[in-house]
Structure formats: structure tokens, C-alpha cells
Amino acid sequence: MQEAHMGNYSVPESIRQYKPKGTMVKRISNYYYVYEYSNYTDSNGKRHTKMGKAIGSIKEGIGFIPNSTFTCDSEISSLDFGEYAITMANSRKTLALLKECFNPQDAVTIYTVAMIHFIQGFTYLRDIRSYYDMSVLSIRYPSLKLGYGSLSKLYDALGRRQGNVIRMEEKLISACSHQMAIDGHVIGCESVMNDLAEKGYKFKKLGEAQMNLLMAYDVNTGIPLMSRIYEGASTDKVSIKDFLGQTELKDMLFIVDRGFYSVDNLNLFSSNGNAYIIPLGKNLNTCKAAVHSLEMHDRFMYQKGRKASVVEYKEEIINGYRVLTYRDLNESASEQENYLRHMSRGDKSYTNEGFQKAKYYMGVTVLQTSLENASPGEVYTLYKKRWTIETFYNYFKNKAGYNSLHAEDYYKTQGLAFVMLVSALIHQEMEAAVANIEGKNVSTCLLESRMVKAHKRHDNWIVCNCLKKQVELFKQLNTPLEVAMPLHT
């Protein structure tokens, strides 16, 4: 197709001036369309021109208007840098562990996906590639296959072929402090096609089916150890047997909540040199026997950070189990104050009669344990460490947004559970990195660093938008203000 006709241009200069390089313009019904254009040589050595697909149009006085699918001359020249740079610099242990358990390509892919989840919150498979393309990850780890199809296969493999997943969990467990909290987190599921999505105990609150995430967590180091998703109708005390059966656990102290209580689980928690601490639900006969009398003559001081409280306690053997009943006087006073405040507001469910009946139980905790040699104060202190997992789950619920998913496949959902574990490992490393920076936490560090971008200038990537406070933050987090060279996986 020719742009010239009988020595004169059929396309006026006012249009040709907007023509992108390497294209040709064709006038059709007084509209000017832009096509790809190339030269080639045939087998006889003759040169020919070839017109390709339409990539846009040109309007006089406006210029070239590309089609929505046109990508020529649209190379990304600005990238999100700051939040990814500080995360990469402070999550090297997670990447190294992944490389110990997976082939290098899969390790980097899992790490990249988990980092996007950590920084952006829960991210659907279809959106991961976009975050990768728009961030410095695309420079650091080029050529990763992060399209929907490739990631679907990866998630499926993580859920279906769990040898390397379990190997990594075993490494985490072998290096832990052997004091493990286990808890569940309910995740809503909008898909009716997922085998894991069922009506559970939170159906009325969620308004949809649910899945149950179980995660194990080192209460001393803050490191997550294991992760798996179970059917929504399955209770924690039923799922725990399969969960703990994934790896061999020896000489472990399990600190769990009352939802895991059953005779079978108590035997499980105390086998193979393991031990447990578990609070008792008020409907259990053992608990009823323990609180029948709340006269406590012994006490100790419980210290958490700068706060201290006097804790009264008594110790008994009930039905063959060691049972310890505690009353934290500070908690008791706080709960009484809260109840009386509701009374003063006239809340109908808060009455003087109810207060007189409930006040003796306020601040009271009843624990059952298989530990024989730990003192009552030590048992109480160990149990209080379990509450750190509540803070940990706050990250999943409020920061990462793992509250309601549209997951349609059992194996891919288990793959997601592992990505969540890796994301949590990255989060833990970042928590440790910012712990000594006064007035900062992970969220504020990510927010402040987000303003720092990478821009392409004369074929080189440089870091821009650096204020003095941002330079100092990067220094405190041992992060260079430069775009690192690509790493070969």
C-alpha cells in the first residue's frame, strides 16, 4: 500500500507529522488509520513491503491515537521501587530458605508472588503480572512467567505435589523454639465450586460459605511454621490431627485455644515427648469443678513490657489432669469497670444482679496442662505468649485482606495457603527489621518508601524522589538507593 500517489501525498503533512516510526498511514473514508509496516526480502532477493495490523488512527490537530491493545512505543519507563526495595533487602532469609527447598526458578517465582501479596495485600492470580510489570521486581527478576496460566499451574503444583512444601515446613520447625501456638482463621469463600467452601459456624455473620485456615506460629520468634486450609464445616479440633500429621513433631509445647479441646487431641498434644497448655471452656465439667470455689491464697506478679499485674492462683488435680485457675487483678478491675459503665448507660443486658453474679469470674482463666515441672507462674506466662498469634492474624485480616476469596479449586487453594505462609515469613522479617527504628512500624515504612520511584533515563534506571527522611529510612533498613542488576535464577 502506497502513501504517495502520482507524485503527490494522499496523506497530508498535517497528518504525516504524527505518524509513528515504522508505520504507514492509510486514508479510508476521510479517516486516517495507522498500520504496522515492515520490509522483507523474498527467496529471489527482491525487497517487498508488508502492511501489518491496524494499531491506531491519527486525527488532525490531536495526533496519533493508539488502539487499546497497541503496545508499540509504550515501554514502561517508571517503576514502583521503594516498598519493593526495602522488602527485598530485608527478606533474604525467606528467599534463601525457598532456594533450599525448591528449584531456583520456582523459588524466585514463589518469593515474588508472596512479596506482592505482602506489599499489596491479597492479590488475585490475574493481577499479579501487572504488579510485577509495574515494579522493580521486573528488573531484579526478569523473564518470570507470571501470567494467569503459569501461576495457576504453580498454585496447583504447590497444593498437589507437597513434598517441597513439607520439606520447607520441616526446616522451619527444626529451627524453632519448640513453643508453638496454633490457631484458625475463617476465610469467606464466594465460590460454590470449591470443595473447601462449606457453611460453617460463621455463616450468619459472613453471609457466605467459609474455609478455615490453620497456621502454626513460634510464640518466641514470631516465625510462622505451617499453614493449611480446611473445609468450612470442619472444626479446628477435627482438622488439627491432619494438620499436625504433616510433619513429625517431637518435644514441642503446644499452646492452643479452647476450640482444640478433646480427649483425643489431649493425647495427641502429649505424645512423642510433646506437651500442651489449653484454656478450658466454661461448659466443661473440669472447668466447672475448678471454678466451684474461687478462693485463691497464692499469687505472683506477671510482667509484660512495662505493665505489671498481681495474679492470684490455685492448683488442683481434676479428673487426673493438672488444672490451674488464675485471676488477674488488673483484668478483673478493667472488666468490672467496663460492666459498670454499660450499666450507667442503661444498657438492658447489664444489670446489678448480673454484675453481682459475674464479678467473681472476671479476670479468671482456667488452664489445663500436661507440663509437670513448670511453676504456675511459668505456665501462665507461657499461655500469655499465645496471644501474639492474635496480633499475627490481625495482619491477615486487616492488612493483607484475607477475609473473602473467590477460589474455585482445592489444590490451588492449598497452594495459596503456602503463598500466605511465605508472605507471613516476609512480614516477620520486616517486623524484625523495623523493630529498632523509633516511631516506625512495617506499614509506615512501606508507606514512606512508596514515594521513591525508579525512572529510565538514557537507557539507565535511576532512583528518584528521595527526600532526606527517605534517604535516612533506606539507610536504617540497609537498602541501597539504586536499581539492582538482574539476578539469574
Side-chain angles (χ1 to χ4, degrees), residues 181-354:
I182 304 171
D183 207 352
H185 170 51
V186 170
I187 301 175
C189 184
E190 299 177 0
S191 173
V192 296
M193 304 298 293
N194 195 319
D195 296 336
L196 295 166
E198 297 176 340
K199 290 182 180 180
Y201 71 97
K202 284 193 174 182
F203 178 73
K204 289 184 178 181
K205 181 178 180 179
L206 295 174
E208 61 186 0
Q210 69 182 56
M211 302 180 292
N212 297 329
L213 170 71
L214 280 185
M215 185 167 282
Y217 171 85
D218 188 324
V219 297
N220 294 305
T221 65
I223 295 175
L225 305 172
M226 301 165 62
S227 178
R228 193 166 181 83
I229 293 177
Y230 290 93
E231 296 86 348
S234 177
T235 61
D236 290 345
K237 67 180 179 182
V238 173
S239 303
I240 189 66
K241 184 176 181 180
D242 175 78
F243 184 68
L244 296 182
Q246 294 181 78
T247 60
E248 186 177 13
L249 298 169
K250 292 182 177 180
D251 304 320
M252 193 74 63
L253 173 63
F254 299 112
I255 307 172
V256 296
D257 71 14
R258 65 194 63 187
F260 293 99
Y261 189 94
S262 75
V263 174
D264 288 343
N265 286 343
L266 296 181
N267 293 331
L268 176 65
F269 295 148
S270 54
S271 63
N272 214 18
N274 298 315
Y276 68 85
I277 300 173
I278 188 169
L280 299 181
K282 61 182 180 180
N283 293 325
L284 292 172
N285 289 332
T286 304
C287 183
K288 291 177 181 178
V291 299
H292 180 71
S293 171
L294 288 176
E295 291 186 15
M296 304 180 201
H297 304 291
D298 297 309
R299 56 188 52 81
F300 60 85
M301 186 183 73
Y302 170 67
Q303 183 98 28
K304 182 180 180 181
R306 297 180 180 179
K307 296 182 179 180
S309 178
V310 173
V311 179
E312 300 176 333
Y313 73 91
K314 66 173 182 173
E315 180 175 352
E316 303 167 275
I317 300 297
I318 302 176
N319 299 325
Y321 296 113
R322 185 186 183 194
V323 179
L324 295 142
T325 306
Y326 302 91
R327 181 189 287 114
D328 185 314
L329 298 184
N330 281 5
E331 285 187 17
S332 179
S334 177
E335 290 180 22
Q336 290 185 50
E337 179 186 7
N338 183 61
Y339 195 105
L340 293 171
R341 183 166 59 250
H342 280 282
M343 280 181 58
S344 66
R345 292 174 180 172
D347 295 346
K348 293 182 180 180
S349 57
Y350 293 84
T351 64
N352 185 62
E353 182 182 19

Side-chain angles (χ1 to χ4, degrees), residues 268-470:
L268 176 65
F269 295 148
S270 54
S271 63
N272 214 18
N274 298 315
Y276 68 85
I277 300 173
I278 188 169
L280 299 181
K282 61 182 180 180
N283 293 325
L284 292 172
N285 289 332
T286 304
C287 183
K288 291 177 181 178
V291 299
H292 180 71
S293 171
L294 288 176
E295 291 186 15
M296 304 180 201
H297 304 291
D298 297 309
R299 56 188 52 81
F300 60 85
M301 186 183 73
Y302 170 67
Q303 183 98 28
K304 182 180 180 181
R306 297 180 180 179
K307 296 182 179 180
S309 178
V310 173
V311 179
E312 300 176 333
Y313 73 91
K314 66 173 182 173
E315 180 175 352
E316 303 167 275
I317 300 297
I318 302 176
N319 299 325
Y321 296 113
R322 185 186 183 194
V323 179
L324 295 142
T325 306
Y326 302 91
R327 181 189 287 114
D328 185 314
L329 298 184
N330 281 5
E331 285 187 17
S332 179
S334 177
E335 290 180 22
Q336 290 185 50
E337 179 186 7
N338 183 61
Y339 195 105
L340 293 171
R341 183 166 59 250
H342 280 282
M343 280 181 58
S344 66
R345 292 174 180 172
D347 295 346
K348 293 182 180 180
S349 57
Y350 293 84
T351 64
N352 185 62
E353 182 182 19
F355 176 76
Q356 296 301 325
K357 184 178 180 180
K359 67 179 181 180
Y360 298 104
Y361 303 97
M362 293 180 179
V364 172
T365 302
V366 181
L367 301 179
Q368 182 175 305
T369 182
S370 61
L371 291 172
E372 297 179 354
N373 299 320
S375 70
E378 289 170 337
V379 172
Y380 188 78
T381 300
L382 286 168
Y383 171 69
K384 282 295 186 178
K385 289 181 179 182
R386 195 198 76 81
W387 292 103
T388 55
I389 201 170
E390 300 298 335
T391 303
F392 185 71
Y393 271 121
N394 181 60
Y395 158 67
F396 279 112
K397 290 185 286 187
N398 300 323
K399 302 293 178 60
Y402 294 96
N403 291 314
S404 183
L405 310 180
H406 188 86
E408 296 185 348
D409 182 88
Y410 174 90
Y411 296 104
K412 293 175 187 176
T413 303
Q414 297 301 350
L416 172 63
F418 181 69
V419 170
M420 291 171 69
L421 177 69
V422 178
S423 175
L425 285 169
I426 294 172
H427 181 268
Q428 185 277 331
E429 281 202 77
M430 283 295 294
E431 287 274 11
V434 305
N436 296 322
I437 303 179
E438 186 176 355
K440 303 290 185 185
N441 57 35
V442 171
S443 296
T444 56
C445 287
L446 289 175
L447 184 62
E448 289 185 20
S449 63
R450 189 166 294 163
M451 298 300 296
V452 180
K453 307 295 182 181
H455 297 289
K456 197 170 187 179
R457 299 288 187 266
H458 308 293
D459 292 326
N460 293 313
W461 286 98
I462 61 172
V463 177
C464 305
N465 303 352
C466 296
L467 302 176
K468 182 178 180 181
K469 66 175 184 178
Q470 291 163 342

Side-chain angles (χ1 to χ4, degrees), residues 4-259:
H5 178 65
M6 299 179 62
N8 297 315
Y9 286 106
S10 62
V11 178
E13 171 60 25
S14 59
I15 296 296
R16 284 188 287 115
Q17 65 177 325
Y18 297 117
K19 184 177 76 70
K21 185 178 180 181
T23 65
M24 70 164 42
V25 180
K26 182 180 178 182
R27 183 172 64 182
I28 302 176
S29 300
N30 293 321
Y31 290 95
Y32 298 96
Y33 295 96
V34 180
Y35 293 82
E36 292 178 337
Y37 174 81
S38 62
N39 295 300
Y40 70 96
T41 304
D42 65 18
S43 59
N44 296 320
K46 293 184 178 180
R47 292 181 61 81
H48 301 270
T49 61
K50 180 180 179 181
M51 184 174 70
K53 63 182 180 181
I55 60 174
S57 62
I58 294 177
K59 290 187 177 181
E60 192 168 3
I62 296 177
F64 173 60
I65 303 172
N67 296 337
S68 59
T69 57
F70 176 56
T71 58
C72 178
D73 198 30
S74 59
E75 177 188 13
I76 294 175
S77 58
S78 294
L79 295 172
D80 295 330
F81 173 81
E83 64 268 50
Y84 291 93
I86 65 171
T87 302
M88 283 188 284
N90 293 283
S91 59
R92 293 190 176 98
K93 291 180 181 178
T94 300
L95 178 57
L97 183 59
L98 283 165
K99 288 184 175 180
E100 288 180 29
C101 302
F102 294 85
N103 70 61
Q105 183 74 21
D106 285 346
V108 171
T109 302
I110 295 167
Y111 174 68
T112 299
V113 172
M115 191 188 306
I116 291 171
H117 275 254
F118 163 68
I119 292 173
Q120 303 297 338
F122 170 74
T123 308
Y124 283 104
L125 292 179
R126 65 176 181 267
D127 298 324
I128 287 174
R129 177 80 202 196
S130 295
Y131 285 116
Y132 166 80
D133 286 340
M134 294 186 295
S135 76
V136 74
L137 291 173
S138 61
I139 304 297
R140 183 68 165 173
Y141 305 114
S143 303
L144 290 184
K145 296 180 179 180
L146 297 178
Y148 181 86
S150 297
L151 289 177
S152 292
K153 290 179 181 178
L154 175 66
Y155 277 44
D156 181 82
L158 291 173
R160 194 183 295 269
R161 307 169 189 271
Q162 290 214 306
N164 291 335
V165 170
I166 293 174
R167 182 184 173 198
M168 182 161 159
E169 290 177 340
E170 288 174 340
K171 285 183 174 291
L172 290 167
I173 290 168
S174 66
C176 79
S177 69
H178 284 241
Q179 293 180 1
M180 176 190 291
I182 304 171
D183 207 352
H185 170 51
V186 170
I187 301 175
C189 184
E190 299 177 0
S191 173
V192 296
M193 304 298 293
N194 195 319
D195 296 336
L196 295 166
E198 297 176 340
K199 290 182 180 180
Y201 71 97
K202 284 193 174 182
F203 178 73
K204 289 184 178 181
K205 181 178 180 179
L206 295 174
E208 61 186 0
Q210 69 182 56
M211 302 180 292
N212 297 329
L213 170 71
L214 280 185
M215 185 167 282
Y217 171 85
D218 188 324
V219 297
N220 294 305
T221 65
I223 295 175
L225 305 172
M226 301 165 62
S227 178
R228 193 166 181 83
I229 293 177
Y230 290 93
E231 296 86 348
S234 177
T235 61
D236 290 345
K237 67 180 179 182
V238 173
S239 303
I240 189 66
K241 184 176 181 180
D242 175 78
F243 184 68
L244 296 182
Q246 294 181 78
T247 60
E248 186 177 13
L249 298 169
K250 292 182 177 180
D251 304 320
M252 193 74 63
L253 173 63
F254 299 112
I255 307 172
V256 296
D257 71 14
R258 65 194 63 187

